[in-house]
Amino acid sequence: MGAYKYLQELARKKQSDAARFLHRVRVWEYRQKPRVHRANHPTRPDKARLLGYKAKQGFVVYRSRVRRGGRKRPVHKGRIFGKPKNQGVNHLKYRQNLKAMAEARAGRALGALRVLNSYWVGQDSVYKYFEVILVDPFHNGIRNDPKINWICNSHHKHRELRGLTSAGKEYRGLHGKSRGFQKNRPSVRANWKRRNTLSLKRYR
């Protein structure tokens, strides 16, 4: 086995003594740092390379943290002046997943860079930590690389804020096909609009 295969096995066996010790030490370090901060190198180089990272100029990794759990409705004393159907307060979930939120925070903090992908690196009782791979679209090392220069195109600006990364497509329901996913493409709203709009020819 190569070195990356050993790293994959260590990441997979999260209950092993070595993995638990590494995780505890790393998460303590992440807690002391700002919400979005730069990582000197990927914590999981095997996973980063699977998701498109290359150890060359133009690629950069930032670590982003997100508070865990659902999203309580911000109402005074739980009073919602509406119908009983909408009176939930506690068991509400945010539409985006936490990974997409971490990408969005990194993308906003570093507006000139493009978000390529992200992966989980740790969690504690309060936060989840993700490492986000970002690309500099104006670096010649990126612009001249035919495998990654697609991201230099202007319509990839802030793709993380429009649900176009892998995490974004997941919460939009675009990771599956066929049964159960028919009404998700091209998007839930566009599909609903097409099915609920009567379109008649002018001369019929």
Side-chain angles (χ1 to χ4, degrees), residues 95-176:
R95 181 166 175 251
Q96 286 186 345
N97 53 39
L98 299 183
K99 193 176 176 185
M101 288 172 64
E103 290 178 353
R105 285 180 182 174
R108 284 195 187 96
L110 303 140
L113 304 182
R114 305 274 161 85
V115 173
L116 179 62
N117 222 319
S118 64
Y119 53 92
W120 177 94
V121 287
Q123 65 189 49
D124 55 21
S125 60
V126 182
Y127 298 108
K128 279 197 178 188
Y129 302 91
F130 298 91
E131 282 185 358
V132 184
I133 304 167
L134 298 115
V135 181
D136 182 1
F138 301 105
H139 195 287
N140 283 333
I142 301 297
R143 297 179 82 86
N144 297 330
D145 186 347
K147 289 185 178 178
I148 193 63
N149 63 4
W150 56 268
I151 208 166
C152 300
N153 203 314
S154 61
H155 63 250
H156 289 297
K157 290 178 180 178
H158 287 296
R159 55 200 294 271
E160 74 284 352
L161 299 177
R162 297 178 286 132
L164 300 180
T165 59
S166 180
K169 287 184 176 180
E170 187 176 5
Y171 78 73
R172 290 168 59 204
L174 300 178
H175 272 189

Side-chain angles (χ1 to χ4, degrees), residues 157-199:
K157 290 178 180 178
H158 287 296
R159 55 200 294 271
E160 74 284 352
L161 299 177
R162 297 178 286 132
L164 300 180
T165 59
S166 180
K169 287 184 176 180
E170 187 176 5
Y171 78 73
R172 290 168 59 204
L174 300 178
H175 272 189
K177 293 183 178 179
S178 71
R179 187 170 180 269
F181 296 92
Q182 297 99 322
K183 296 182 180 178
N184 292 355
R185 285 185 171 82
S187 70
V188 173
R189 288 183 182 83
N191 193 297
W192 179 89
K193 189 175 181 181
R194 177 178 59 77
R195 285 183 286 108
N196 287 272
T197 303
L198 182 63
S199 180

Side-chain angles (χ1 to χ4, degrees), residues 44-135:
R44 298 170 62 189
D46 55 317
K47 187 68 171 175
R49 284 178 60 82
L50 278 173
L51 298 176
Y53 173 81
K54 299 288 183 197
K56 68 174 192 176
Q57 290 184 342
F59 283 88
V60 58
V61 175
Y62 271 76
R63 209 171 284 123
S64 178
R65 78 170 182 231
V66 186
R67 191 173 278 268
R68 293 176 62 181
R71 292 294 173 263
K72 188 174 178 181
R73 195 191 296 271
V75 289
H76 182 63
K77 291 188 176 179
R79 294 194 186 102
I80 298 169
F81 299 101
K83 297 184 177 180
K85 176 182 182 297
N86 300 319
Q87 292 205 340
V89 173
N90 282 324
H91 296 283
L92 307 177
K93 311 315 187 269
Y94 196 56
R95 181 166 175 251
Q96 286 186 345
N97 53 39
L98 299 183
K99 193 176 176 185
M101 288 172 64
E103 290 178 353
R105 285 180 182 174
R108 284 195 187 96
L110 303 140
L113 304 182
R114 305 274 161 85
V115 173
L116 179 62
N117 222 319
S118 64
Y119 53 92
W120 177 94
V121 287
Q123 65 189 49
D124 55 21
S125 60
V126 182
Y127 298 108
K128 279 197 178 188
Y129 302 91
F130 298 91
E131 282 185 358
V132 184
I133 304 167
L134 298 115
V135 181

Side-chain angles (χ1 to χ4, degrees), residues 32-48:
Q32 318 308 316
K33 295 189 174 182
R35 190 168 69 169
V36 177
H37 61 273
R38 183 170 179 173
N40 294 328
H41 51 78
T43 304
R44 298 170 62 189
D46 55 317
K47 187 68 171 175

